[in-house]
Amino acid sequence: MEIDHNALVFFSKSWGLLYLGGFAVCVVVYTFWPSNKKRFVRAKESILDPVDKPWQ
Amino acid sequence: MAGLLCAIVVIHSYYEPEPTPDRLSSYYDPPIKAGIAMSMAWAVFAMFVGVWVALLLAWPELTFDQPWAGFGRLRPVHTTGVIFGFGGNALIATSFHVMQRTSRARMPDQISPWFVLAGYNLFCILSVSGYFIGITQSKEYAEAEWYADIWLVIVWVTYFVLYIRTIARRKEPHIYVANWYFLAFILVVAILHIVNNIAVPVSIGHAKSYTVWAGVQDAMVQWWYGHNAVAFFLTAGFLGMLYYYLPVRAQRPIFSYRLSILSFWGITFFYMWAGSHHLHYTALPHWVQTLGMTFSVMLLVPSWASAGNALLTLNGAWHRVRDDATLRFMMVAAVFYGLSTFEGSFMAIRPVNSLSHYTDWTVGHVHAGALGWVALITFGSFYTLVPSLWKRERMYSAGLVEVHFWLALAGTLVYVFAMWNSGVIQGLMWRTYTKEGTLAYSFLDSLVAMRPYYVARAFGGILFLAGAIVGSYNIWMTVRAVPQAADTGKDAPQPEKVAVAGE
Amino acid sequence: MPELFHRKLERSTIGFVLAVIAVASVGGIVEIAPLFTIDETVEEAPDMRLYTPLELAGRNIYIREGCYACHSQMIRTLRDEVERYGPYSLAVESRYDHPMLWGSKRTGPDLARVGDKYSDLWHVSHLTNPRDVVPESNMPAYRWLARNPLQMEDLPLHLAAQRAVGVPYTDDMIENAAKDAYGQATPDSDAASGVAERYGEETQIRAFDGVATRVTEMDALVAYLQILGRMTDAAFEHTAAPQEPPEPVK
């Protein structure tokens, strides 16, 4: 099959949209996955720890 | 010269005392300190040049008949100096700090951070010195010629490897979101820089090169680069700062960690498509323009999510914002981030762009972002970082931080309002018709109408520059002050809440 | 066991890096990929000519002085721009431009069709001191251009590099680049005859800076400015009407 300009434009438009949708779903699933919650809460509290030393 | 500089750095570290085991019990901070110093030095230099180019537009004889002082040569000195000199050094310094703190791990070695910092500044010097003598690619925000570009790739790869190695040593299982932003900044800037700068040098001994991209393709690559340089250099990296220093300074956890993840991926995804809004109504195919416009408008969602997240973090600490100019720097930065991303999405809409493009409105928009967002969040982060790095109780003078804040805010507002006015007037004059259906104003009429705004803009710039000088002085005096007697290990001056570390 | 744990950590970092690359680059690829075949959509312009060595040298001076910072070379498809500057710019017109100089800011007017609009003498006085001819101008003066002799010996290298990135210069053109640059600005010399032969009869051959005995940077820059918008007539034949500007937003 020959790849001409219109074919590439069509590819961009169709698969681009699909990619956008699929990607959005993945991110939302990751963000709201119940078992991730604990990690996120810990992460946001952890930077306020006043001890300014690496953990051994 | 590059080799010499690196050699000095390497030899210097070679003669450092044998590392003792207890060095692993502290973070490696000297390169961060040097990075802050370089950043402030570039800020003062490049903002001075900025004031100069602003004055040139009102008083063109200020070139003093010197080829190196023409507007076209000084302008890239200003943009490179501010974006890469001031912004880049600030990003390197703060990312070194954030990656160690949030990973709870020391950097894996003591040479590569120095190589990154010195090499990066060498890149800045190489490119800026080239612009003075007319060595430029004339690609906006990527003016540096091929030899400097190749050097930056080497430095950047080292930077990336250093970051990954530190993250890999982390004791904290989760990678804090600020690191995501810094990593995206490093990665994407590398991709953009390489693609946009592919060029064939005239000869190996020649500074000049010709880019492989031509015409409309070059335009698309250039603005794909240009817009994403704004996205990943001037936004992602500085959001990394925001997500670390704002919570630390306010002593409150970020309002919503989940929101910060969503907006991270939103920004990473959407920005990439938006570059073509710089080319509305040009010879670029129409569908690419429409695509760019659509994604630019969608970008508003993750951008406002970040700005809102930052402001909601401060909810309940507004008294602190009132009393602490450092926190106010960061709060106002978040507000300007929200404003300029809204303005950007608005200007990307084709009919609006038909008015704003080619005018000072664009310049005003860029500076609302650069002064109001990038510079203010940097100053806020530095004022948080400097006392903790040098183990001082507080900045040398809280009064001077206050002075800096008001100078910076006033300078930004004067500048931005001057450019909004001049841009809109300019755009309207260009398209105004008489009753007879002829153009009402010559180009020259519009130029004459700009002059008062150009003077006002230069005044705003002077205020902002004055603020940066006050800030540098304050940092310098803080460094020189007598250290605290005991190292309390505080990261912020007034910890109210102590989270218990695990492990 | 700790070993395994450590590996897992590193794996998640690498996974993250790959995710960022995928997310960020696919957008760029999807958007830019069709532009690699854009040649198919660019208008035909059989009369398209190449920059002569002198014009290319002039273009490089334009680049060196950073003129793009204040002058665009892209007339948009809006009625007021077409009436002010001429037919809107076509993609084909910058097809040999490495890099393109479309610009993004008009502190001064657009230059896409400035060629042949003013006399050589006007350009020379304007570049020497803009306020001599336009009292209100805020453009810097470029007095040294008429003083500096043009560097011509390395022009064959420049043309060869241009060919390497896709501009169809012939061996003959590359070989004679320095001579042609000299000839184009010195109409009475022997070198002048070859220029039209290689670059077409339309090529402007004259002492652009008014001095026929030596070739200066002024010669090159004026030669370049005088060819802007004159590389092809395609834009003048294109009949599509420009767009009405939308209603002012205010």
Side-chain angles (χ1 to χ4, degrees), chain B residues 459-475:
Chain B
F459 176 68
I462 288 171
L463 290 182
F464 203 89
L465 170 66
I469 293 171
V470 169
S472 306
Y473 171 77
N474 202 358
I475 290 175

Side-chain angles (χ1 to χ4, degrees), chain A residues 5 9 12-13 16-17 19-20 23 27-28 30-34 37 39-56, chain B residues 24-27 101-102 104 171-172 174 176 180 244 247-248 252-255 257-258 261-262 265 269-270 287 391 489 497-499 501-503:
Chain A
H5 185 69
V9 171
S12 290
K13 287 178 177 173
L17 196 65
Y19 172 62
L20 168 68
F23 173 74
V27 170
V28 171
Y30 170 77
T31 311
F32 290 97
W33 199 257
K37 188 179 178 182
R39 253 202 287 174
F40 295 160
V41 170
R42 203 192 123 75
K44 72 177 188 179
E45 303 282 349
S46 170
I47 59 163
L48 302 178
D49 174 13
V51 178
D52 193 30
K53 281 190 182 354
W55 292 349
Q56 295 296 322
Chain B
L24 286 174
S25 65
S26 68
Y27 296 117
R101 265 55 179 194
T102 56
R104 313 274 178 185
K171 301 289 190 298
E172 183 75 66
H174 180 72
Y176 184 66
W180 301 22
Y244 183 79
V248 163
R252 300 169 64 81
I254 192 81
F255 169 70
Y257 195 78
R258 280 175 170 166
I261 294 174
L262 288 176
W265 290 110
F269 191 94
F270 290 150
W287 72 270
K391 316 285 182 219
K497 184 174 169 191
V498 175
E503 189 87 289

Side-chain angles (χ1 to χ4, degrees), chain B residues 108-190:
Chain B
D109 70 291
Q110 299 192 169
I111 296 172
S112 52
W114 286 109
F115 175 79
V116 170
L117 193 70
Y120 182 77
N121 280 285
L122 179 67
F123 161 78
C124 295
I125 290 167
L126 277 179
S127 40
V128 164
S129 57
Y131 308 150
F132 279 120
I133 53 174
I135 297 172
T136 164
Q137 294 194 91
S138 272
K139 284 169 89 78
E140 259 180 279
Y141 315 115
E143 288 92 348
E145 268 293 356
W146 63 278
Y147 54 93
D149 288 338
I150 292 176
W151 174 244
L152 183 62
V153 172
I154 298 170
V155 171
W156 215 250
V157 169
T158 318
Y159 184 22
F160 174 69
V161 171
L162 173 64
Y163 211 106
I164 289 295
R165 283 170 70 208
T166 310
I167 298 281
R169 286 160 62 94
R170 73 188 184 280
K171 301 289 190 298
E172 183 75 66
H174 180 72
I175 306 175
Y176 184 66
V177 71
N179 289 307
W180 301 22
Y181 283 96
F182 281 122
L183 267 172
F185 143 68
I186 298 171
L187 274 170
V188 181
V189 166

Side-chain angles (χ1 to χ4, degrees), chain C residues 85-156:
Chain C
Y85 300 115
Y88 56 78
S89 303
L90 301 182
V92 68
E93 290 181 273
S94 46
R95 136 187 215 183
Y96 295 135
D97 286 2
H98 296 264
M100 58 87 205
L101 293 171
W102 293 7
S104 62
K105 176 72 174 62
R106 284 181 188 151
T107 304
D110 187 274
L111 298 181
R113 308 216 179 279
V114 81
D116 283 350
K117 208 170 177 180
Y118 301 94
S119 67
D120 292 348
L121 184 62
W122 186 91
H123 277 300
V124 172
S125 346
H126 182 249
L127 286 163
T128 306
N129 183 12
R131 277 152 296 285
D132 285 350
V133 279
V134 186
E136 303 90 341
S137 170
N138 65 349
M139 184 171 126
Y142 293 94
R143 295 188 180 87
W144 62 89
L145 290 177
R147 292 196 297 263
N148 288 359
L150 181 69
Q151 206 187 347
M152 287 178 288
E153 337 46 282
D154 58 358
L155 277 171

Side-chain angles (χ1 to χ4, degrees), chain A residues 7-17, chain B residues 273 287 291, chain C residues 29-34:
Chain A
L8 273 176
V9 171
F10 177 76
F11 175 81
S12 290
K13 287 178 177 173
S14 55
W15 286 99
L17 196 65
Chain B
W273 303 65
W287 72 270
L291 191 71
Chain C
I29 291 166
V30 168
E31 193 177 22
I32 288 176

Side-chain angles (χ1 to χ4, degrees), chain C residues 163 169-177 180 194 197-199:
Chain C
R163 183 160 77 176
Y169 285 113
T170 63
D171 289 339
D172 191 31
M173 288 169 169
I174 292 174
E175 205 173 302
N176 292 293
D180 286 347
E197 199 181 295
R198 272 181 281 276
Y199 293 92

Side-chain angles (χ1 to χ4, degrees), chain B residues 227-228 230-232 235 239 263-275 277 291-306 337-338 341-342 344-346 348:
Chain B
H227 192 73
N228 287 303
V230 173
F232 288 90
T235 303
L239 281 173
S263 48
F264 171 80
W265 290 110
I267 283 173
T268 310
F269 191 94
F270 290 150
Y271 254 113
M272 273 293 161
W273 303 65
H277 68 225
L291 191 71
M293 176 173 99
T294 314
F295 275 88
S296 306
V297 174
M298 286 159 72
L299 248 180
L300 192 58
V301 176
S303 303
W304 273 28
S306 287
Y337 177 64
T341 47
F342 173 75
S345 296
F346 183 60

